[in-house]
Amino acid sequence: MKRQTTDVLVVGAGIAGLAAALEADRQGADVVVATKAERPDEASTWWAQGGIAVTRDDPEQFARDIRDASAGTADEHAVETLVTEADDAVQDVLVETLDVEFDTNGEGFDYGQEAAHDEPRILHVDAATGKHVHVPFLNYVADETDVEILEDTAALELVRHEGRVYGAVLESDGEWAPTFAGSTILATGGIGALYPRSTNPADATGDGIAMAALAGADVADMEYVQFHPTAYHGDDGTFLISEAVRGEGAVLRNGAGERFMPDYHEDAELAPRDVVARAVKTEREGTGEVVLDVSDIDFEGTFPDLAEKCRDNGVPLPEIPVAPAEHFLCGGVDVDDRGRASLDRLWAVGECARTGVHGANRLASTSLLEGLVWGLRAGEDAAGNDSEEIEPPELLDRDPALPDNFAREKFHRLRRVMDEQVGIERTPDGLGRAQAVLRRLKGEVDAYVRTRTSRSLYELRSAAIVSLLVARAAAENDESVGCHYLVDEAETPAAD
Ligand SMILES: Cc1cc2nc3c(=O)[nH]c(=O)nc-3n(C[C@H](O)[C@H](O)[C@H](O)COP(=O)(O)OP(=O)(O)OC[C@H]3O[C@@H](n4cnc5c(N)ncnc54)[C@H](O)[C@@H]3O)c2cc1C
């Protein structure tokens, strides 16, 4: 791993990091992208199914839908920024630059309908939009720009001094060195690894949020963790069954075979995600299981990629067993409308950032869009700062064997407490207990970090820090809103 300098360092190569890198390159900056992924499918962007929302002819209605889904908590200015720039960003990058072939019908784009959207406005490729966007994006940035992409390279720690960020310490193949940068853009994605069941790729440990918080940057809205209501519930894993399937007319049935969503919300299966997720949880607990019944839609014809994935994984059709799973973090590093964090020369974009667009709850198919729009804005803003070298943080010698075993055991404990106490439903007592467990766990992890360095240990440290941030924010918010839902009774078992 060589010590280097660059104008812009982007950490993460999902849609947000790639958009930031593309725009900074267009502005003439030297750009290095570091991604700990070895393959494209190690970013949530690759996994996106339903698609990317666009404004079409009615930005006001799109803005209203975003605000309504957020229970009125979304930031007005952030929402306006998103809906105003959505169509240009999609047209410029996805359509004209990357040539993504979104599905069409005889009249043009085949806009999809999803829950809590007032009209069909989702551009998609089958129900596998993510990979049709991510792979061309990676290829384009690698082949058609001057951006240098470092794969299998993790940022472990930000280089900072007195409120300013100078780059990050990067690790590859067990060696590490600083990359100094005039501007550092975090685009590290979500936090699925904090929960036992998540739709995210396995190493979504919230590293960018943890590194930023450790460096002293503000974070916000951390309690708003979105659980997707319809993840396939199998013994050997979980994966998302897109909202678009309900948009097509698939219905949810409980263990007694009854369709129950009309009893919970006037929009039934297309109610906001948090409402559907809690209903699915309640019905599973009451009747043993919940299935997504696709018998009345043309599942194979409309969602061929998803149908194939179901077949490959032995998923029973047409009644797919489903349960809620962690899906998306609405909060993150607190940033402004250009992705600027509270530390000088630090930006954050995509899922690791809190722009205010989602407030307490995210409208379906708006996060690819948020990553794209804020990535472009941050890339433009971050270009133009000169890099400067300072004394980097000193990381200690590596002892690979112990931390890996250690990490496995601690992750198990961490996920259990997050699942039991910081999940879909929370109690004040449970959140108190969770914080106590997580504080102890973080103390144990910190003791190792003082003497050893390995990627898995740093990922565990990120997970411990971010878990604590989520639990603490949840404990400090006594109002049930959006994804943060408090129940009176301490019905959840004690953890630890
Ligand atoms: C199954 C699934 C379906 C979804 N469907 C949709 C949808 O249809 N529409 C929609 O709008 N949204 C959807 N979402 C949400 C959306 O995909 C994500 O929120 C979005 O892609 C996040 O993009 P990102 O660039 O912020 O992060 P990601 O795409 O997750 O990329 C994160 C990158 O950061 C890297 N990284 C992380 N930590 C480090 C580190 N320490 N050092 C170096 N690199 C690091 C990772 O390797 C990766 O390259 C879906 C999510 C999932 C999981």
Side-chain angles (χ1 to χ4, degrees), residues 10-18 33-40 42-53 114 122-123 127 129-130 134 138 150 152-157 170 186-190 198-201 203-208 211 228 239-242 273 309 326-329 349-353 362-371 455 459 462:
V10 180
V11 182
I15 192 167
L18 292 171
V33 175
T35 170
K36 69 179 180 181
E38 289 180 73
R39 302 187 314 267
E42 290 169 12
S44 286
T45 298
W46 192 93
W47 292 93
Q49 292 186 356
I52 183 161
E114 288 190 355
I122 321 292
L123 291 178
T129 311
H134 196 208
L138 275 169
L150 306 174
D152 193 8
T153 300
L156 301 183
E157 187 118 26
L170 303 184
L186 298 170
T188 55
S198 167
T199 61
N200 292 187
D203 61 359
T205 40
D207 301 350
M211 285 188 286
H228 199 287
F239 61 84
L240 184 76
I241 308 292
S242 169
R273 274 189 184 164
K309 185 166 184 177
E326 190 284 341
H327 186 56
F328 182 82
L329 176 65
V349 290
E351 194 170 334
C352 73
R362 173 178 75 107
L363 179 67
S365 287
T366 53
S367 52
L368 290 176
L369 183 62
E370 182 199 34
R455 191 184 299 186
E459 288 179 325
S462 296

Side-chain angles (χ1 to χ4, degrees), residues 226-281:
Q226 188 173 68
F227 292 81
H228 199 287
T230 55
Y232 163 60
H233 185 76
D235 292 337
D236 48 355
T238 189
F239 61 84
L240 184 76
I241 308 292
S242 169
E243 204 124 34
V245 180
R246 276 175 284 138
E248 275 295 302
V251 296
L252 288 160
R253 297 190 190 284
N254 62 20
E258 292 156 357
R259 185 178 173 210
F260 55 86
M261 272 317 298
D263 297 338
Y264 285 85
H265 195 279
E266 59 185 5
D267 293 334
E269 277 79 3
L270 296 185
R273 274 189 184 164
D274 59 308
V275 176
V276 186
R278 282 196 299 278
V280 170
K281 178 176 187 290

Side-chain angles (χ1 to χ4, degrees), residues 14-28:
I15 192 167
L18 292 171
L22 173 69
E23 189 55 40
D25 176 80
R26 284 172 168 175
Q27 300 293 325

